[in-house]
Amino acid sequence: TVVVVGRAREMPAVVDGEIVVRRMLPTSATFDHRTADGAHLGLLTRLVKEFVENPNEEGVVRMEGKIYGPEGTVEEAAG
């Protein structure tokens, strides 16, 4: 899997029906479907998006009742 992150820049975006300026970070990813499941790439893409949009000091992503930590660890989120 190859993940490429472009340069962040300000671009127009529609938010609540209004055109506003937002900082956008283009990304792309490719993989060989013979060696990886597309669902894994989808999860990776969502994790990267969530972490970029909501960074934290712990270096973890909380998504859908799970905590994705450093080095690929996954835990069930408490309560």
Side-chain angles (χ1 to χ4, degrees):
T1 301
V2 177
V3 178
V4 178
V5 178
R7 179 176 59 92
R9 60 182 158 191
E10 293 184 344
M11 298 178 69
V14 178
V15 177
D16 297 327
E18 300 287 325
I19 298 175
V20 297
V21 176
R22 292 282 190 215
R23 182 165 287 211
M24 305 296 254
L25 183 67
T27 61
S28 64
T30 61
F31 71 103
D32 184 341
H33 67 89
R34 296 171 295 177
T35 61
D37 184 355
H40 293 120
L41 183 60
L43 176 61
L44 173 64
T45 303
R46 290 176 42 221
L47 288 171
V48 169
K49 177 183 181 288
E50 183 65 27
F51 188 74
V52 168
E53 290 179 351
N54 302 294
N56 59 59
E57 294 175 5
E58 302 157 335
V60 300
V61 172
R62 289 175 177 81
M63 187 172 66
E64 297 177 357
K66 294 187 179 183
I67 300 173
Y68 297 86
E71 300 177 20
T73 58
V74 179
E75 301 172 21
E76 295 295 323

